[in-house]
Amino acid sequence: AKDIDGNQIGPATFDGKMVLIDFWATWCRPCMAEVPHMIKVNEDYGPKGLVIVGISLDRDQAAWKQGIQANAMKWVQSLDSQNAPGLAGAWGVDSIPRTFLFSPSGELLWTGHPSQMDGALADAFKKFTPRMVDKKTLTDATAALDKAEAAVKSNDMATAARALAKLPAAAAKEKALAPRVEQLQKDVAAYAAGALTEADELLGKQEFAAAITKLEPIAQLPGLVESKKAAEKLTAIKAMPAARAAFEAAAKAEQEKVKAARSEEALAAAKKLKGDKKDEQAYLAFKDVARQYAALPAGAAATEEVAAYEKDPLFVKRATTGAGEAKARAALNLAISYKNAGRADLAKAKYQSVIDQFPGTPSADAAKKALEELPKE
């Protein structure tokens, strides 16, 4: 599969870890009701070697990403529609939420509704001990140590400190790496003390950004007294009114820059849809850009494109109806899966939601018919 950033993921990615595969979707109320539980599971077991992989059945990629961000779902996420073949079908998932728990060696230990998995998780961690450091982390840690040691040899202690600061925390606990980490900590300790003095001089000149640049690598170094002092100084700087004003101005400028870049990317994507003759999709994409970035040049350009499309009322009706039907069809499919699983109560509720939320669509008509055919209580 591919994760939310487009990276390939698979068994090798999680070698030695306990893995929990979770099929879900933002439009699935039972799934979203389980999010706080999933967050707690991730917090409790993640540090012990559990990796959660969410496989979403969402059709709306924007809603999927927004749901992940809004609910702080900080684990691996993949969109099923971007994987071939579809994972839900291949795994026999006919209702969601549905989870699968695997041992570090890849053995299926348990599957079912996530609300029922706590006992299976506890038993799994009693029986198996996941590896804390995966191969990629170990590779990254080795590279960071190599870079730091090379910098020490060339007396470039600033680079050594920055490289050591990038060392993954979990990797520092590995017995094979611990002696190298300890030696490097000793090597950069003297530099760290000097950096603290230089940071104080920069603060006296109100050169806050330069002082932070000096302090941040030191504050992140594991096991040094100087790192605690650097962290305390960073906290003090952030509490200074003058520094706070400077940071806020810089942050605002950076946010505006990022927002402008995103608006141009979204506008380019909409233009590509138009160039590919996918006008209904392009129209909806332009509307999104116009709404989200109204005050930016990209928003103004998108508004012009929307106005051009809206000269044809029949086209607008066709485009908006098509978008609603796509979402309605996804909800209808879930209702059907509930019915096939023998969950008439959930099926009735989902059929009714299709009728209420997407009136006038073919899926709403199909939901009405299906609702009438369900056994009466």
Side-chain angles (χ1 to χ4, degrees):
K2 289 187 177 180
D3 67 13
I4 195 169
D5 297 316
N7 300 314
Q8 199 72 32
I9 55 176
T13 314
F14 312 113
D15 183 36
K17 296 284 188 177
M18 199 86 75
V19 181
L20 187 70
I21 307 293
D22 177 47
F23 286 88
W24 71 290
T26 60
W27 43 258
C28 166
R29 289 185 181 180
C31 301
M32 300 313 293
E34 278 297 309
V35 169
H37 181 210
M38 296 297 292
I39 290 174
K40 187 174 189 309
V41 166
N42 190 47
E43 291 175 347
D44 290 348
Y45 289 101
K48 299 178 182 178
L50 177 71
V51 175
I52 301 177
V53 184
I55 307 292
S56 171
L57 274 62
D58 279 287
R59 298 290 182 87
D60 186 335
Q61 186 174 139
W64 169 58
K65 291 185 176 181
Q66 183 179 2
I68 291 169
Q69 183 176 9
N71 291 280
M73 301 167 72
K74 299 177 181 179
W75 50 87
V76 181
Q77 296 287 353
S78 180
L79 191 61
D80 196 25
S81 61
Q82 293 183 343
N83 297 309
L87 298 178
W91 286 52
V93 174
D94 54 12
S95 65
I96 54 175
R98 175 79 177 277
T99 53
F100 296 79
L101 177 63
F102 293 89
S103 73
S105 63
E107 174 190 2
L108 178 61
L109 302 177
W110 178 88
T111 182
H113 194 286
S115 64
Q116 305 298 316
M117 69 184 173
D118 288 355
L121 270 169
D123 290 343
F125 275 87
K126 289 177 183 177
K127 185 176 180 181
F128 301 98
T129 303
R131 191 172 62 223
M132 295 304 299
V133 180
D134 57 41
K135 291 179 179 178
K136 183 179 184 304
T137 301
L138 196 59
T139 300
D140 292 345
T142 302
L145 287 172
D146 289 344
K147 184 174 182 179
E149 289 168 345
V152 169
K153 288 181 179 180
S154 60
N155 202 32
D156 184 359
M157 301 309 297
T159 298
R162 286 193 294 270
L164 188 58
K166 291 180 181 179
L167 182 71
K173 299 176 183 178
E174 284 290 298
K175 292 182 179 180
L177 300 181
R180 296 177 65 187
V181 174
E182 184 179 354
Q183 183 59 50
L184 280 167
Q185 288 174 337
K186 292 178 180 178
D187 291 337
V188 300
Y191 166 76
L196 289 173
T197 300
E198 291 178 26
D200 286 337
E201 294 173 355
L202 291 168
L203 286 175
K205 301 174 185 177
Q206 293 198 342
E207 295 180 12
F208 303 112
I212 287 175
T213 300
K214 280 285 182 184
L215 293 170
E216 281 185 334
I218 306 304
Q220 297 174 36
L221 288 171
L224 286 183
V225 174
E226 289 80 6
S227 66
K228 183 179 179 180
K229 292 181 179 179
E232 290 171 350
K233 287 182 182 293
L234 284 171
T235 300
I237 292 172
K238 292 174 183 177
M240 295 177 182
R244 192 159 54 242
F247 298 151
E248 288 174 356
K252 184 177 180 180
E254 182 60 25
Q255 289 174 358
E256 290 176 351
K257 182 179 178 181
V258 170
K259 187 174 182 179
R262 288 178 178 171
S263 72
E264 293 299 333
E265 290 174 2
L267 180 63
K271 287 182 176 179
K272 186 177 187 306
L273 288 170
K274 181 180 179 181
D276 292 341
K277 305 300 183 184
K278 298 178 180 178
D279 290 301
E280 293 182 6
Q281 296 177 45
Y283 168 66
L284 296 174
F286 281 126
K287 284 194 71 174
D288 283 342
V289 176
R291 175 178 54 81
Q292 292 183 45
Y293 306 107
L296 296 175
T303 300
E304 293 180 4
E305 295 283 358
V306 170
Y309 275 120
E310 291 183 343
K311 291 178 181 179
D312 183 351
L314 291 178
F315 166 82
V316 172
K317 182 177 180 180
R318 187 169 66 251
T320 53
T321 300
E325 172 58 15
K327 294 181 180 179
R329 192 180 305 112
L332 180 63
N333 288 338
L334 182 59
I336 292 171
S337 72
Y338 285 145
K339 176 186 174 184
N340 293 339
R343 297 301 304 274
D345 54 337
L346 295 177
K348 288 179 180 179
K350 181 53 68 174
Y351 281 134
Q352 189 60 52
S353 72
V354 174
I355 296 168
D356 295 341
Q357 295 179 33
F358 307 101
T361 63
S363 290
D365 294 337
K368 289 178 184 177
K369 183 177 179 181
L371 198 56
E372 292 171 356
E373 293 175 351
L374 283 175
K376 304 297 181 182
E377 294 182 357

